[in-house]
Amino acid sequence: MFEKMDKDFILHSYGRNYVNFTKGKSATIWDSNENEYIDFTSGIGVVSVGHANEKVSSAICDQAQKILHISNLFMIEPQAKLAKSLVEKSGFDMRCFFANSGAEANEGAIKIARKYGEVDGEVKRYKVITLKHSFHGRTISTLKATGQESMHNYFGPFPDGFVYADDIDHIKSLIDDHTVCVMLELIQGEGGVEPQDLQKVQELAKLLKSKDILLAVDEVQTGIYRTGEVFAANLYDIEPDIITVAKGLGNGVPIGVVMTKLKDIFSPGDHGSTFGGGYLVTRAAYEVLEILEDYKTSGKLDEMMLYFESKLQNLCQDYPNIIEKEVGLGLMRGLRIKSATLLTSLINNAFEQKVLLLKAGRNTLRFLPPLTITKEEVDEGFIRVKKAFEMTKA
Ligand SMILES: *Cc1c(COP(=O)(O)O)cnc(C)c1O
């Protein structure tokens, strides 16, 4: 019934599965027929403290009964509190601008870079270097920033000034007098859960600093404890000029943030958002950060990362004919599968076994469980994943 409604009235921009999920708890979700699934995706790395998290839900309900919206022409108390919390937890000396999505946060990053490149009212430096296989969003400019030419069909003309490097080593040779910023994911998510080399990243950060070129790290997927630290930049021990955040920050409410060391880059009127940083989403995100800080401090997050990793290693040992290698960090994990056909059948078989998994580039089976997933859920999920592998004999 709803499948037809969806097909009739929603544009067909997604390859959709028509299961109707109606409720969830932690990493377990139920469909309208009361079938129970284990969620190893948390949306796409969004529901970081689990479905129907009580603290987040109560904060949302409480806020909804008080006030939901006033424009950004007024101070918004929970916005200020969230910004302070985010900055303090990150350890970076930054200020925040609130948007509503990852793409929008990256738009903000690009605008910051372009303004930084301006001298005497004229844009002198404007080029942003990004990496092949990257993903930065679906708006016209973040799509252009995305280093996957296949996604650029149909939508041109695009704004100028985006240059793609094959990899980190290639960046240096692309720098010219017009380069103002390098934007990258420390672990490419959509591109195949591919971590960058730590030493190369640190060297790049030094090089850029010496040339007064900004380093913007897109932490939309890696941010908010996904890799075990607040930001992957903390793990890589670098200090970016710009960090963008979204997915895992709101546990499902739409929120995006661009954070920058360039604290005075914007003057009133330079940038804005009607909804960005509203009461509801900033209250929710504040709770998410509090929950995850406790979870990290108690040692539970590190414990879970090791436990999840050991489960993936078992799979690698048991199915060397299907799995090429393990990739990723923390609770952002992938298994490189030997062919695209095998990957598709694995995901379908996993769904049949009632465990949700994701696909990523370079034939990667992707795991992005809620960070607070229980050991029992992990055990049950991997029993089902194993069954899916059994069904997928290469
Ligand atoms: C998902 C993602 C985006 C886009 O976020 P939206 O909220 O969908 O706009 C940007 N960058 C990275 C690294 C992402 O994973």
Side-chain angles (χ1 to χ4, degrees):
M1 171 194 167
F2 292 113
E3 176 169 348
K4 184 172 185 315
M5 197 188 288
D6 180 289
K7 285 178 172 158
D8 285 349
F9 295 105
I10 307 282
L11 285 174
H12 296 189
S13 60
Y14 302 100
R16 242 178 200 174
N17 177 325
Y18 287 91
V19 61
N20 183 10
F21 291 120
T22 49
K23 63 180 184 204
K25 193 73 217 167
S26 185
T28 309
I29 45 180
W30 290 268
D31 67 17
S32 50
N33 298 317
E34 293 292 318
N35 290 308
E36 178 215 280
Y37 299 75
I38 299 291
D39 181 8
F40 275 175
T41 69
S42 48
I44 303 178
V46 168
V47 187
S48 47
V49 297
H51 296 278
N53 181 287
E54 268 168 37
K55 284 188 179 149
V56 177
S57 301
S58 339
I60 290 174
C61 292
D62 178 61
Q63 190 59 49
Q65 286 165 341
K66 288 177 176 154
I67 180 171
L68 282 181
H69 184 81
I70 193 73
S71 78
N72 272 305
L73 299 175
F74 296 92
M75 179 193 79
I76 296 166
E77 180 185 312
Q79 185 183 114
K81 282 177 70 181
L82 174 60
K84 179 169 188 276
S85 168
L86 202 49
V87 165
E88 286 177 356
K89 287 179 174 63
S90 76
F92 298 130
D93 186 20
M94 292 181 166
R95 280 184 188 153
C96 302
F97 175 89
F98 285 95
N100 311 282
S101 67
E104 245 189 281
N106 287 335
E107 287 280 342
I110 295 163
K111 281 179 77 172
I112 288 170
R114 290 272 171 93
K115 184 153 188 212
Y116 186 72
E118 174 194 275
V119 180
D120 302 331
E122 217 184 306
V123 175
K124 299 280 189 203
R125 295 192 294 152
Y126 61 94
K127 283 189 188 168
V128 178
I129 301 175
T130 64
L131 292 181
K132 296 240 167 91
H133 301 287
S134 59
F135 183 78
H136 297 297
R138 300 282 192 168
T139 61
I140 292 287
S141 50
T142 59
L143 193 59
K144 186 63 178 170
T146 293
Q148 303 186 46
E149 305 272 5
S150 65
M151 291 174 68
H152 300 167
N153 295 328
Y154 319 126
F155 303 114
F158 289 102
D160 271 347
F162 294 97
V163 184
Y164 315 115
D166 294 334
D167 50 36
I168 292 211
D169 296 328
H170 187 210
I171 290 175
K172 193 173 176 180
S173 66
L174 294 177
I175 292 174
D176 65 21
D177 290 346
H178 298 293
T179 308
V180 71
C181 180
V182 169
M183 179 158 81
L184 51 80
E185 301 153 87
L186 292 174
I187 306 172
Q188 289 187 335
E190 303 307 309
V193 201
E194 182 73 23
Q196 301 296 348
D197 180 80
L198 183 126
Q199 202 169 342
K200 284 183 182 176
V201 167
Q202 292 183 343
E203 279 163 16
L204 174 72
K206 265 190 218 131
L207 173 79
L208 298 181
K209 200 178 202 80
S210 74
K211 291 183 177 295
D212 188 31
I213 293 168
L214 301 177
L215 174 59
V217 177
D218 179 343
E219 298 246 21
V220 168
Q221 197 162 144
T222 53
I224 315 301
Y225 297 91
R226 182 52 65 183
T227 66
E229 300 298 330
V230 180
F231 290 117
N234 299 120
L235 193 69
Y236 277 70
D237 200 16
I238 54 166
E239 238 189 286
D241 301 286
I242 304 170
I243 290 179
T244 55
V245 197
K247 292 191 167 91
L249 178 59
N251 215 45
V253 300
I255 188 165
V257 195
V258 53
M259 304 171 63
T260 182
K261 291 202 314 203
L262 304 168
K263 290 181 170 182
D264 297 310
I265 191 76
F266 285 148
S267 311
D270 280 340
H271 198 35
S273 166
T274 297
F275 293 122
Y279 291 95
L280 190 80
V281 298
T282 49
R283 272 290 298 277
Y286 184 85
E287 283 311 315
V288 170
L289 284 181
E290 291 298 293
I291 295 164
L292 289 177
E293 183 180 47
D294 282 353
Y295 198 65
K296 169 75 181 171
T297 312
S298 70
K300 285 186 196 150
L301 179 60
D302 295 302
E303 224 174 87
M304 179 47 72
M305 292 190 315
L306 287 175
Y307 191 64
F308 208 89
E309 153 103 69
S310 71
K311 292 282 184 183
L312 288 170
Q313 278 171 358
N314 289 344
L315 279 180
C316 290
Q317 275 158 19
D318 292 348
Y319 301 99
N321 50 336
I322 300 179
I323 302 167
E324 198 180 291
K325 65 170 175 174
E326 205 202 326
V327 286
L329 285 168
L331 285 175
M332 181 169 177
R333 293 278 174 178
L335 297 173
R336 286 285 158 75
I337 302 303
K338 291 200 166 159
S339 77
T341 335
L342 278 174
L343 175 59
T344 304
S345 47
L346 268 174
I347 290 178
N348 293 338
N349 292 339
F351 183 75
E352 209 172 295
Q353 293 299 330
K354 301 196 169 56
V355 56
L356 303 188
L357 294 172
L358 289 162
K359 196 187 251 193
R362 298 185 248 204
N363 290 341
T364 311
L365 183 65
R366 179 164 46 154
F367 297 74
L368 291 169
L371 303 178
T372 55
I373 189 170
T374 66
K375 193 163 170 290
E376 290 71 29
E377 286 169 328
V378 172
D379 289 344
E380 179 56 32
F382 274 99
I383 288 172
R384 298 179 191 190
V385 171
K386 203 166 157 66
K387 284 185 188 154
F389 270 84
E390 283 300 314
M391 291 167 76
T392 318
K393 277 285 159 62

